[in-house]
Amino acid sequence: MKPQYWFRWLSVQGAPRLVLRTQARRGEPFAELMGGPTGFADPYPLIERLRGAGRLIRTSIAWASFDHEVCRSILRDNRFGVRTTESFNTPAPMRKLAKHFPLPPNPVEPPSMLVIDPPEHTKMRKPVASAFTPRAIARLRDRVETVTAELLDGLPSSGSADLVTAFAAQVPIAIISEMLGFPDADKERFLHWGDRMTPLLDVGISWRAYRRALQAMEVMNDYFDEHIARLRRTPGEDILSTLVTAGELDMFALKASASLLMGAGFETTVNLIGNGVVQLLEHPEQLARLRAEPELWPNAIEEILRFDSPVQTTARTALCDVDIDGIQLRAGDTVVLSLAGANRDPAVFAEPDRFDVGRANAKEHLSFSSGVHVCLGASLARMEGVYALQSLFDRFPDLRLDGAPRRRELFTLHGYEQLPVRLGRRARTPEPTAV
């Protein structure tokens, strides 16, 4: 591991980690939400405590909002830009230090469209967007259906399984790998790299987690070099081949886009499926309603996204002095936007802590963000979620938990690391028709 990476961790992650851990020991709920075991396991009681402090509150490292209207407004406001590693209250010398040690292309640093603003964001997003049009998503339905059926066929009848590794992770990784032209045999490598790199989306991660992420990043970077070189010689019909042959992006930008698509097309859907399994098993009356009214499955996916959001938070930085809800923010101030908090705002969702697959306005959640950075793959994630969950519960009608699910110790991405289940009897059922 390159020694300069330690200095980079210190400037980008180490300083915020120290602040968060110190404030958490003092009992500050925001610090505990972002970096403590209670926040990882069950963030919602802490979110409600923070909601009570106001629509826009000052915390130890940034402003924060848990209010649906405020979050949605800031996400759509061009006076705000996306968060970068410089947005939080890191000392200026440490921010300068980080610039001297750039990382390989990755999803969390420029030119990844996740962390750049228009017009650069528009340039990066436009050529990728063609892979996620309604027509393009419709063409993927048969493939999603086939992959889901094959995975369910491979699960042991009346046996036990970890649904994260055996099912929830396998559905989206198969689809996004195909969309990017990766060989099917390499799926497990990407699962490993994704697991190592995901913590980079959090703030204040440990040196050990940071080191493992960078090691995976370096190996994946070498893989992309070889893969893109192959596509230049023999392009396919996948989105990465399209980007390569179009010639609009340089090699660094191509690799940044590929790593973002790989991560974004995978992590959110894994958490959506895993969270959905747990919520439906913990609310059997809602599962029974879906079996009686299968046309509700698309709405059930929206309720899962609202009730237990796979992406809990994002952030924006004020690009100029701006007044929000009567509070004056200065240029450079960062606002942490709790998507999970917005999704349980009682001003928008009646009885927000009640899981209801028939909720009329479930789709008003902000789990896919909003504005220019709204998730490109939202329609694909929704489709995968419907097929995966409906097929799973149709194929294994007696499915139940087989021990306590274990959450990942992450703040931004909210999902399960392990989801042990007892499958029960296998039923032969028609393929889902709800999508």
Side-chain angles (χ1 to χ4, degrees):
M1 175 58 61
K2 300 175 182 178
Q4 61 264 37
Y5 283 165
W6 187 87
F7 292 103
R8 201 177 202 290
W9 167 81
L10 184 64
S11 61
V12 173
Q13 298 284 354
R17 179 179 176 83
L18 177 61
V19 173
L20 286 171
R21 289 169 71 90
T22 300
Q23 294 298 326
R25 284 195 295 269
R26 294 174 179 171
E28 186 191 70
F30 184 78
E32 176 63 17
L33 177 68
M34 288 193 69
T38 302
F40 297 149
D42 185 9
Y44 299 105
L46 288 167
I47 286 173
E48 293 312 309
R49 284 179 60 189
L50 290 159
R51 187 195 308 281
R55 300 178 72 194
L56 184 63
I57 64 173
R58 191 76 174 101
T59 75
S60 56
I61 67 169
W63 291 90
S65 180
F66 302 83
D67 180 271
H68 189 282
E69 181 182 359
V70 171
C71 289
R72 185 175 181 272
S73 174
I74 289 177
L75 288 170
R76 294 180 168 214
D77 193 332
N78 61 13
R79 295 174 298 174
F80 288 85
V82 289
R83 176 181 68 83
T84 71
T85 53
E86 299 179 5
S87 299
F88 294 109
N89 297 332
T90 304
M94 288 189 173
R95 294 201 302 268
K96 291 180 181 178
L97 185 65
K99 288 184 177 181
H100 290 294
F101 304 126
L103 301 180
N106 67 85
V108 296
E109 295 199 0
S112 166
M113 72 181 81
L114 187 68
V115 290
I116 57 175
D117 294 313
E120 292 80 8
H121 173 266
T122 307
K123 177 183 177 181
M124 293 290 290
R125 185 181 175 104
K126 186 177 179 180
V128 176
S130 62
F132 297 95
T133 62
R135 179 176 296 180
I137 298 304
R139 288 198 297 266
L140 285 170
R141 286 181 179 175
D142 287 345
R143 182 59 182 154
V144 171
E145 184 176 334
T146 299
V147 167
T148 301
E150 289 174 349
L151 289 168
L152 292 176
D153 288 342
L155 293 176
S157 297
S158 301
S160 297
D162 174 8
L163 278 188
V164 172
T165 57
F167 183 65
Q170 298 296 333
V171 174
I173 199 68
I175 300 304
I176 200 65
S177 292
E178 185 169 306
M179 291 178 70
L180 294 174
F182 298 132
D184 189 65
D186 289 341
K187 287 188 301 183
E188 294 303 319
R189 300 173 69 182
F190 281 104
L191 287 172
H192 173 73
W193 294 335
D195 181 67
R196 293 293 182 93
M197 292 173 59
T198 296
L200 291 174
L201 292 166
D202 271 16
V203 176
I205 65 174
S206 69
W207 162 241
R208 180 173 181 270
Y210 192 76
R211 184 182 69 244
R212 292 173 61 185
L214 265 58
Q215 288 170 337
M217 190 185 298
E218 289 181 335
V219 176
M220 191 169 74
N221 183 59
D222 293 339
Y223 178 95
F224 283 154
D225 282 336
E226 296 177 4
H227 181 64
I228 291 172
R230 285 196 300 270
L231 295 183
R232 290 192 193 281
R233 295 190 299 268
T234 55
E237 298 182 358
D238 55 275
I239 180 59
L240 192 51
S241 290
T242 301
L243 295 177
V244 168
T245 55
E248 297 180 26
L249 304 179
D250 61 27
M251 188 64 166
F252 198 92
L254 280 170
K255 291 189 287 186
S257 295
S259 63
L260 174 60
L261 288 169
M262 199 73 205
F266 163 64
E267 288 289 347
T268 302
T269 310
V270 174
N271 293 345
L272 166 59
I273 295 171
N275 294 352
V277 169
V278 173
Q279 293 307 326
L280 290 169
L281 290 178
E282 290 183 347
H283 298 85
E285 78 288 353
Q286 297 298 311
L287 181 56
R289 183 177 180 184
L290 287 171
R291 284 175 169 146
E293 304 174 67
E295 67 276 9
L296 283 178
W297 269 107
N299 198 72
I301 296 302
E302 305 299 340
E303 179 68 348
I304 293 164
L305 288 163
R306 182 201 72 83
F307 188 80
D308 201 15
S309 179
V311 180
Q312 293 273 298
T313 189
T314 188
R316 294 293 184 267
T317 300
L319 302 178
C320 58
D321 293 351
V322 56
D323 182 277
I324 297 295
D325 200 42
I327 295 174
Q328 187 71 28
L329 299 182
R330 298 176 63 84
D333 282 349
T334 292
V335 185
V336 176
L337 304 173
S338 174
L339 305 180
N343 290 348
R344 293 203 185 191
D345 188 339
V348 177
F349 304 101
E351 298 181 81
D353 295 331
R354 178 171 58 87
F355 181 65
D356 178 9
V357 299
R359 185 180 295 273
N361 69 337
K363 203 170 185 177
E364 291 182 33
H365 64 77
L366 297 178
S367 294
F368 291 120
S369 190
S370 189
V372 297
H373 283 277
V374 67
C375 178
L376 269 175
S379 295
L380 177 59
R382 287 179 165 111
M383 181 183 66
E384 290 176 331
V386 170
Y387 273 120
L389 288 171
Q390 185 179 4
S391 298
L392 175 69
F393 283 104
D394 283 349
R395 187 72 65 91
F396 296 100
D398 301 325
L399 181 75
R400 67 182 189 275
L401 293 175
D402 190 25
R406 188 169 73 190
R407 286 280 188 189
R408 302 183 74 174
E409 293 188 358
L410 296 173
F411 165 63
T412 301
L413 294 177
H414 188 62
Y416 290 95
E417 184 176 34
Q418 290 184 345
L419 182 47
V421 297
R422 175 70 62 174
L423 295 165
R425 63 187 172 90
R426 184 189 300 269
R428 296 186 63 85
T429 60
E431 298 298 338
T433 56
V435 177

